[in-house]
Amino acid sequence: MSIIMNGKEIAQEIHASNLEQVERLIEQGIQPKMAFIRVGDDPASKGYHRSAIKKAENNNIECDSFVYPADVDADEFFKDYAKINERSDIHGILVLRPLPEHLSYEKISQEIDPDKDVDGMSPFNIGKTFAPKPTDFVPITPMSVMRMLEHYEINVKGKEVVVVGHSLVVGRPLSMLLVDKGATVTICHIDTKDTKAHTQKADVLVTATGKKWLITKDHVKEGAVVVDVGTSYEVDGKVYGDVFFDEVEPIASYINPVPGGIGSITSEILSERVIYSASKGVEG
Amino acid sequence: MSIIMNGKEIAQEIHASNLEQVERLIEQGIQPKMAFIRVGDDPASKGYHRSAIKKAENNNIECDSFVYPADVDADEFFKDYAKINERSDIHGILVLRPLPEHLSYEKISQEIDPDKDVDGMSPFNIGKTFAPKPTDFVPITPMSVMRMLEHYEINVKGKEVVVVGHSLVVGRPLSMLLVDKGATVTICHIDTKDTKAHTQKADVLVTATGKKWLITKDHVKEGAVVVDVGTSYEVDGKVYGDVFFDEVEPIASYINPVPGGIGSITSEILSERVIYSASKGVEG
């Protein structure tokens, strides 16, 4: 019998704190505002956009959307982008992906104002992953994993932690956040010869591959903490995690479901960061 | 019998290429120039400063040194620092450490022009460690390790690689460079419960702790590649590596001595980066 780590519950807690802080800011005459930038009409991106606006607005954060056609002129886009970054009434910026190929992702991530980069895409913020302060805008999904572990008072110091998946947005930065907390971290991925040999020894196993049910009970040590960051959208319309939950749950000490895990936390942390950015200089 | 990886030989190769490129730049009217910034009179820092100038000058790079007293006024320092960063005749900047406490390292590393940050101290450049291009100014010692592996055509893809030491300047960024090349990487450090259990399985073992002779033959698998990044300055005046060389050498397939290993390569890569920075825009 394991403890089910409940992402929604954690999100609720952050939500309550967000609301309180926004109220205080508005009393001081500051309306936190977030900008969404979307290029093109990718359906998944549109869906995420809609739901992110809804969640920000639930925190009484104002949202501005800048939507461009997929064939927008690059010069024009980057001129606009600079203006959005400079606007003092905008405290957080989220650039939705995918982006068309003619708009350099490198340029976009390098030119975002690091103080407004709530998603943590700027190399400047990614670099902070190596020795993060709690207020640093490091990549947001790894930060959500750390918040989940913290919430359940799971101390990774001296623990054997295995991260499966080495993506730029999750696996790599997450492994650095875990090392910073004193974990012995092994990063496994598509080129790893024997992933199971590693995962079977993990005190804490985090998986972020997007491969449905990759992790079965054969991968998991009795009593391990299992964090599932994976999401696969299957043809049946359902979302699946990386972990075969029904099989792994009985042997784990802690485990989170998908959906209802990390994703739930992420959007509240986005709002939290917009609020933090809006509050900067206010109390000084 | 192992192959001895010779840092000096690699340095010689880079040196030859550096000289050639500087000659070409000077023909085009560009004199590559490097700035050294030192605060205070720490003897080790002064020694490194002297030797770094000598090596840069050996590459026909001009050197300017900016030396401040340990009690320099912070505002004054940062005003000067901004000016040095803006000077168009300066192509590379190296800030020597240690720095006095009243000068924020965070501020110094954040305000260096990333294009002149040849040592790779800016969070912007550190962030590039997650997905580096060959010309990115990622932290320089990890890059020197990668160059050594490349030189001996040691492909880490799919290999079990263990990094011992999780320092911000070596262990952490190095682990990310290795993951980027497809290695399965485990990062061990002071909080690791059983380092030996990991190192004994390593196809490639890299150690960067600065603990003399930490790694003995009991830590090393027969035929492993052993890279020693450690340097300890002992009271006998000698420099030691992390690896008990005489004992480990017979079972390793490749191994480097200390001194004569990574440190030899680093200073040539510093020059190489100054030259790269000076050449930017020239051929465009």
Side-chain angles (χ1 to χ4, degrees):
Chain A
M1 257 292 286
S2 61
I3 294 173
I4 307 295
M5 294 186 285
N6 186 337
K8 286 184 186 158
E9 201 179 291
I10 302 170
Q12 272 306 321
E13 274 189 22
I14 306 176
H15 176 57
S17 150
N18 282 344
L19 277 176
E20 217 181 283
Q21 288 183 68
V22 170
E23 203 185 321
R24 221 177 304 148
L25 281 172
I26 290 175
E27 279 169 18
Q28 292 173 87
I30 295 162
Q31 172 58 60
K33 187 186 273 190
M34 182 163 181
F36 293 89
I37 298 175
R38 200 184 80 223
V39 185
D41 278 323
D42 178 77
S45 175
K46 277 173 86 171
Y48 180 69
H49 187 177
R50 258 195 312 274
S51 108
I53 289 178
K54 204 175 134 197
K55 286 187 175 156
E57 288 182 342
N58 274 342
N59 284 316
N60 296 326
I61 291 171
E62 247 181 56
C63 295
D64 267 12
S65 288
F66 302 85
V67 178
Y68 302 88
D71 62 351
V72 62
D73 178 73
D75 286 346
E76 212 173 284
F77 173 83
F78 281 107
K79 238 182 261 170
D80 245 42
Y81 188 55
K83 274 189 215 148
I84 296 166
N85 273 282
E86 276 161 23
R87 270 177 58 177
S88 62
D89 64 324
I90 290 175
H91 307 103
I93 297 171
L94 185 72
V95 182
L96 293 146
R97 282 170 262 188
L99 290 157
E101 279 195 16
H102 71 290
L103 298 182
S104 155
Y105 176 76
E106 193 181 358
K107 193 169 155 74
I108 290 175
S109 64
Q110 290 185 6
E111 292 188 0
I112 195 165
D113 178 346
D115 290 331
K116 298 182 179 180
D117 171 30
V118 288
D119 196 28
M121 77 190 305
S122 156
F124 193 85
N125 287 323
I126 294 173
K128 292 187 167 180
T129 305
F130 287 91
K133 288 180 299 183
T135 53
D136 283 340
F137 291 175
V138 300
I140 196 148
T141 302
M143 182 48 90
S144 305
V145 173
M146 299 311 286
R147 291 285 280 268
M148 180 174 263
L149 294 172
E150 259 168 48
H151 182 89
Y152 288 96
E153 296 178 351
I154 296 161
N155 184 352
V156 298
K157 189 167 172 174
K159 297 273 169 63
E160 293 288 324
V161 178
V162 175
V163 175
V164 183
H166 67 343
S167 74
L168 288 172
V169 287
V170 189
R172 298 187 202 195
L174 177 59
S175 66
M176 290 297 100
L177 297 181
L178 289 161
V179 163
D180 193 63
K181 294 288 184 196
T184 301
V185 176
T186 300
I187 308 140
C188 297
H189 46 74
I190 191 96
D191 293 316
T192 298
K193 296 261 164 66
D194 190 355
T195 297
K196 213 179 270 186
H198 288 288
T199 60
Q200 282 171 343
K201 287 191 202 112
D203 302 315
V204 179
L205 170 58
V206 188
T207 176
T209 70
K211 275 197 121 179
K212 177 187 168 190
W213 295 351
L214 177 75
I215 303 298
T216 64
K217 70 173 179 346
D218 295 343
H219 290 79
V220 180
K221 187 173 81 168
E222 183 86 34
V225 174
V226 179
V227 182
D228 189 352
V229 193
T231 45
S232 324
Y233 297 86
E234 296 289 312
V235 283
D236 60 11
K238 284 192 199 159
V239 179
Y240 293 87
D242 287 0
V243 177
F244 192 173
F245 186 88
D246 292 346
E247 200 178 281
V248 173
E249 188 271 329
I251 57 169
S253 59
Y254 291 82
I255 189 169
N256 70 280
V258 173
I262 299 301
S264 324
I265 305 171
T266 305
S267 54
E268 287 300 331
I269 297 184
L270 268 182
S271 284
E272 188 184 67
R273 288 177 168 186
V274 175
I275 297 162
Y276 175 75
S277 165
S279 72
K280 262 196 200 167
V282 174
E283 291 154 47
Chain B
M1 257 295 286
S2 61
I3 293 173
I4 307 297
M5 295 187 284
N6 186 338
K8 286 184 188 161
E9 200 179 291
I10 302 170
Q12 271 307 320
E13 274 189 20
I14 306 176
H15 176 58
S17 151
N18 282 343
L19 277 177
E20 218 182 282
Q21 287 182 68
V22 170
E23 201 184 322
R24 222 176 304 147
L25 282 172
I26 290 175
E27 279 170 17
Q28 292 172 86
I30 294 161
Q31 171 59 57
K33 185 186 274 191
M34 182 164 182
F36 292 90
I37 297 175
R38 200 184 82 223
V39 186
D41 277 323
D42 178 78
S45 175
K46 277 173 85 171
Y48 180 69
H49 187 176
R50 257 194 313 272
S51 109
I53 289 178
K54 202 175 137 198
K55 286 184 176 159
E57 288 181 345
N58 273 343
N59 284 316
N60 295 326
I61 291 171
E62 246 181 56
C63 295
D64 266 11
S65 288
F66 302 83
V67 178
Y68 302 87
D71 62 351
V72 61
D73 177 72
D75 286 347
E76 212 174 282
F77 173 83
F78 280 106
K79 235 181 263 170
D80 245 43
Y81 189 54
K83 272 187 217 151
I84 297 166
N85 272 282
E86 276 161 23
R87 269 177 59 176
S88 63
D89 64 324
I90 290 175
H91 307 102
I93 297 171
L94 185 72
V95 182
L96 293 146
R97 281 169 265 187
L99 290 157
E101 281 196 13
H102 73 288
L103 297 181
S104 154
Y105 177 74
E106 194 181 358
K107 194 169 153 74
I108 290 175
S109 64
Q110 290 185 6
E111 293 187 359
I112 196 166
D113 178 346
D115 290 333
K116 297 181 180 180
D117 171 30
V118 288
D119 197 27
M121 76 188 306
S122 157
F124 193 86
N125 287 324
I126 293 173
K128 293 189 166 179
T129 306
F130 286 93
K133 290 181 298 183
T135 53
D136 284 339
F137 290 174
V138 300
I140 196 150
T141 302
M143 182 48 90
S144 305
V145 173
M146 299 310 286
R147 290 285 280 269
M148 180 176 263
L149 293 172
E150 259 168 49
H151 182 89
Y152 288 96
E153 296 178 353
I154 295 162
N155 184 353
V156 298
K157 189 167 174 174
K159 297 274 168 64
E160 294 287 325
V161 178
V162 174
V163 175
V164 183
H166 67 344
S167 73
L168 289 171
V169 288
V170 189
R172 299 186 201 195
L174 176 60
S175 66
M176 291 297 100
L177 297 181
L178 290 160
V179 164
D180 193 64
K181 294 287 183 196
T184 301
V185 176
T186 301
I187 307 139
C188 297
H189 46 74
I190 191 98
D191 293 315
T192 298
K193 296 261 164 67
D194 189 355
T195 297
K196 212 180 270 185
H198 289 289
T199 60
Q200 282 172 344
K201 287 189 202 116
D203 301 316
V204 179
L205 170 58
V206 187
T207 177
T209 69
K211 276 195 120 179
K212 177 187 168 188
W213 295 352
L214 177 74
I215 302 297
T216 64
K217 70 175 180 341
D218 296 342
H219 290 80
V220 179
K221 187 172 82 170
E222 183 83 35
V225 173
V226 179
V227 182
D228 190 351
V229 192
T231 46
S232 324
Y233 297 87
E234 297 288 312
V235 281
D236 61 9
K238 284 193 200 159
V239 178
Y240 293 88
D242 287 359
V243 177
F244 192 173
F245 187 89
D246 292 345
E247 199 178 280
V248 173
E249 188 272 327
I251 58 170
S253 60
Y254 290 82
I255 188 169
N256 70 280
V258 172
I262 300 301
S264 325
I265 304 171
T266 304
S267 54
E268 287 301 330
I269 297 184
L270 268 182
S271 285
E272 188 184 66
R273 288 176 169 186
V274 176
I275 296 162
Y276 175 75
S277 165
S279 72
K280 262 197 201 168
V282 173
E283 290 155 47

